Amino acid sequence: MAEHETELVFSPDARRQLLQLKAFEQRRVVDAIREQLIQDNPRRETRNKFALDPPPDCADHELRAGSLRVMYRVEEAAGAIRVIVALIGRKNRNKLIVEGEEFEL
């Protein structure tokens, strides 16, 4: 278990996007979030989790879960870490598709 207190918050957009996925895709995203963002340091870069450079307005990190992408922001205050899931999309070649529209990174 992580040594820090981590609070996870889904934006209204991310919550809606998660619910639009098929059940097995929802599980894949939730499992990846639990393992990579809650049980591990959300800022530690791995093969499937990294900072965006330059970051878009909504998020500063990306988490890969198969072809799905979770864009999130990390805030830290008083020893507590808050992870805000901004949006969830699907990678299609070099494009990120969010709710049927191409998202500019």
Side-chain angles (χ1 to χ4, degrees), residues 15-37:
R15 187 179 306 275
R16 183 180 65 249
Q17 292 153 2
L18 180 64
L19 293 174
Q20 289 173 353
L21 297 174
K22 294 179 175 140
F24 75 93
E25 292 174 322
Q26 289 178 17
R27 271 193 307 279
R28 173 181 266 175
V29 167
V30 169
D31 288 348
I33 288 172
R34 182 181 308 111
E35 290 172 17
Q36 297 286 328
L37 305 184

Side-chain angles (χ1 to χ4, degrees), residues 3 13 29 48 50 63-64 69 80 84-85 99:
E3 299 168 5
D13 289 340
V29 167
N48 291 320
F50 48 87
L63 171 64
R64 294 192 281 200
R69 300 295 184 266
I84 302 161
V85 176
E99 296 186 276

Side-chain angles (χ1 to χ4, degrees), residues 36 41-52 61:
Q36 297 286 328
N41 182 340
R43 285 201 170 115
R44 181 178 329 179
E45 295 204 13
T46 66
R47 192 168 153 256
N48 291 320
K49 176 178 66 177
F50 48 87
L52 295 168
H61 289 81

Side-chain angles (χ1 to χ4, degrees), residues 57-74:
D57 291 338
C58 68
D60 49 18
H61 289 81
E62 177 177 329
L63 171 64
R64 294 192 281 200
S67 65
L68 300 166
R69 300 295 184 266
V70 177
M71 310 302 267
Y72 67 97
R73 181 175 302 275
V74 180

